[in-house]
Amino acid sequence: MTPVYADAHTIDSAIAFLETDYEPLQSNREVAEISDVIVQGKIVTVREGPQYGRLGDDLTDLSSVVIEVQSENIVQGTLAGDTLYVSMLSPAGNSIADWNRGLPAGVDVVVYAEQSSEGVAGETGEIDTNNWGAGRPDGAALYLPQPQGFVVQTGENRLVWPLTGVTREATFADALPGDTAVGVPLPGEGTPALDTVA
């Protein structure tokens, strides 16, 4: 069976101008400590997700996508089934077709995520949400990836963390808690650029 790889340049274009504010962690174990679930699996598809912002204020509307991941290994935590629905902001002008080109069905992925409190009974989010259930079945939980906790394969033994712009020669086993492929530049590395195998 021919492996399916993500296209790092297409992903980079899809999330262009999206800035992630986070505190860099130096190990996958630290990322695991702040995550509700860690799932290793394959991408099924990317769909339109909820829209965030202030109701009635077009200036603050932020679109999102929901990435459906079929779990092959739940490394940490539990899921209500074997599917993880992961939300990412999608800057204006990006299409679902772009996202699905960058993250085609069958791409291997590891996700460290926390469950979103938006839309959960008894919880009040800090921002308004339009079409909260978009991109997933009714009642399915929505998860937010840690910036250092979304890693895809772009070639044989080649991993990319799109939200931090890090590329590493490594396997998925190296990206799990306790192993060494970390999605943040380590001391002395600078900031690796997203890249694909020629």
Side-chain angles (χ1 to χ4, degrees), residues 25 28-39 76-78 111-115 143-150 177:
L25 301 175
N28 291 323
R29 198 175 304 280
E30 290 178 82
V31 182
E33 288 173 359
I34 60 172
S35 302
D36 295 324
V37 296
I38 303 171
V39 169
Q76 174 177 300
T78 59
V111 184
Y112 295 62
E114 60 183 331
Q115 186 172 346
Y143 288 83
L144 306 175
Q146 303 294 349
Q148 293 172 231
F150 188 86

Side-chain angles (χ1 to χ4, degrees), residues 61-162:
D61 290 346
L62 295 172
S63 297
S64 74
V65 296
V66 173
I67 303 165
E68 181 179 343
V69 176
Q70 180 72 37
S71 170
E72 296 181 338
N73 179 23
I74 299 176
V75 179
Q76 174 177 300
T78 59
L79 292 177
D82 58 3
T83 304
L84 180 72
Y85 296 95
V86 183
S87 178
M88 283 192 192
L89 293 179
S90 181
N94 296 331
S95 71
I96 288 299
D98 292 336
W99 280 92
N100 277 294
R101 274 192 297 275
L103 298 172
V107 165
D108 289 309
V109 61
V110 171
V111 184
Y112 295 62
E114 60 183 331
Q115 186 172 346
S116 174
S117 63
E118 288 286 328
V120 176
E123 297 285 347
T124 302
E126 294 181 0
I127 58 175
D128 298 319
T129 306
N130 295 310
N131 200 15
W132 168 248
R136 64 195 194 282
D138 288 345
L142 188 64
Y143 288 83
L144 306 175
Q146 303 294 349
Q148 293 172 231
F150 188 86
V151 54
V152 295
Q153 190 168 17
T154 59
E156 186 176 0
N157 297 330
R158 191 173 188 85
L159 304 180
V160 166
W161 285 257

Side-chain angles (χ1 to χ4, degrees), residues 1-12:
M1 187 172 172
T2 304
V4 179
Y5 296 127
D7 183 332
H9 290 300
T10 302
I11 299 168
D12 195 28

